[in-house]
Amino acid sequence: TTILGSAPKEWLAHWRGQVGNWEANRIMGEAQDKGSRIHEAISGLILGGQIIFNNPKAPKYTDEEIQELSKDKISYIIKDQQEHLEIYRFSKFVEEVKPKFIATDLIVYSLQHEYAGTLDIIAEFEGGKYNINGVKPIDIAKGRYIIDIKTGKEDDLNYPKQLASYMVGYEERTDNPKIDGGMIIYTNAKTKGKIEGLKTVVYSREELEKHFQGFLNIKKIFYFLFHNIFW
């Protein structure tokens, strides 16, 4: 993520110019905090935990009741309705696709290309047509996929490059089967359909291999800037 952050983003510079750096930093900080809470809760669900929605403005549970509910399962307390909605959308994705989860929050690295990162999810799919992208079902081929959850802006051109870097790092550090593709899941999209607000974009392995070359090009920019700033 740090490496890809060095790529030029004209829309970001234009937006900062409109709202000012202080306000832009505040908004981006809040968005990052929101994304971190949603990612943590989704990871917890995958590992067998539970979500408890308890809006402080109208609490459904007391602290004592939450402690009782949390006796047998790790609980993730969500206080914001929008965050709860986005986690719910992911749970509906799981109901529809029924993936077999292999790993979550997994650190991967490439000694050959000198980078490291933490991927969100690795899962296996039986394959088929699924209603996970608006009104029209999409095809997912059988195989093992790297999944990245996005709670913010849709269709950033760097997202598939991020998946590609995870793919190469994962395969370099493990003896597990190769990755068959990648998937970006947007939990706050503008889609309608069976799971309103959920958008899924699937990339084949061949597409990710091409995007990896783009990642390497951006990495050159990152290291050029790094060495010029610190050396």
Side-chain angles (χ1 to χ4, degrees), residues 76-91:
Y76 296 84
I77 314 303
I78 301 299
K79 300 178 180 181
D80 181 86
Q81 187 172 8
Q82 176 62 32
E83 293 174 18
H84 186 241
L85 175 60
E86 293 187 43
I87 295 164
Y88 169 78
R89 289 168 180 161
F90 178 79
S91 71

Side-chain angles (χ1 to χ4, degrees), residues 47-76:
L47 295 174
Q50 64 181 344
I51 304 298
I52 297 177
F53 176 55
N54 206 38
N55 190 328
K57 295 181 180 179
K60 184 177 180 181
Y61 305 103
T62 64
D63 290 343
E64 292 75 16
E65 288 172 329
I66 289 176
Q67 288 180 0
E68 183 66 26
L69 289 169
S70 305
K71 277 186 176 180
D72 301 321
K73 281 187 176 183
I74 297 176
S75 297
Y76 296 84

Side-chain angles (χ1 to χ4, degrees), residues 170-177:
Y170 172 75
E171 293 183 344
E172 185 176 319
R173 73 174 289 274
T174 68
D175 295 324
N176 289 314

Side-chain angles (χ1 to χ4, degrees), residues 19-197:
V19 303
N21 282 329
W22 189 90
E23 179 65 6
N25 291 338
R26 183 191 67 80
I27 294 171
M28 292 179 70
E30 289 181 354
Q32 289 170 355
D33 290 343
K34 169 200 167 188
S36 295
R37 288 190 294 268
I38 292 174
H39 277 80
E40 182 181 11
I42 286 175
S43 180
L45 278 178
I46 291 171
L47 295 174
Q50 64 181 344
I51 304 298
I52 297 177
F53 176 55
N54 206 38
N55 190 328
K57 295 181 180 179
K60 184 177 180 181
Y61 305 103
T62 64
D63 290 343
E64 292 75 16
E65 288 172 329
I66 289 176
Q67 288 180 0
E68 183 66 26
L69 289 169
S70 305
K71 277 186 176 180
D72 301 321
K73 281 187 176 183
I74 297 176
S75 297
Y76 296 84
I77 314 303
I78 301 299
K79 300 178 180 181
D80 181 86
Q81 187 172 8
Q82 176 62 32
E83 293 174 18
H84 186 241
L85 175 60
E86 293 187 43
I87 295 164
Y88 169 78
R89 289 168 180 161
F90 178 79
S91 71
K92 299 303 288 184
F93 168 91
V94 173
E95 286 182 15
E96 172 73 11
V97 180
K98 298 178 175 59
K100 177 185 177 183
F101 293 111
I102 306 300
T104 181
D105 291 333
L106 181 67
I107 295 174
V108 296
Y109 53 83
S110 171
L111 298 179
Q112 179 183 355
H113 299 288
E114 299 180 315
Y115 68 86
T118 303
L119 60 80
D120 288 346
I121 300 168
I122 294 179
E124 292 180 348
F125 299 88
E126 285 300 317
K129 288 184 178 292
Y130 302 98
N131 292 296
I132 52 174
N133 191 46
V135 296
K136 187 177 179 180
I138 63 172
D139 286 307
I140 299 178
K142 182 177 181 179
R144 178 171 292 202
Y145 289 75
I146 291 177
I147 302 174
D148 207 63
I149 308 295
K150 299 298 183 185
T151 59
K153 184 178 182 294
E154 295 180 47
D155 299 327
D156 189 305
L157 296 177
N158 285 330
Y159 289 164
K161 297 180 181 68
Q162 186 178 11
L163 286 176
S165 69
Y166 291 150
M167 176 183 75
V168 173
Y170 172 75
E171 293 183 344
E172 185 176 319
R173 73 174 289 274
T174 68
D175 295 324
N176 289 314
K178 75 173 186 177
I179 296 298
D180 297 293
M183 193 176 297
I184 302 290
I185 299 176
Y186 299 93
T187 58
N188 192 25
K190 299 177 181 179
T191 52
K192 306 293 182 181
K194 185 173 182 179
I195 310 176
E196 185 171 339

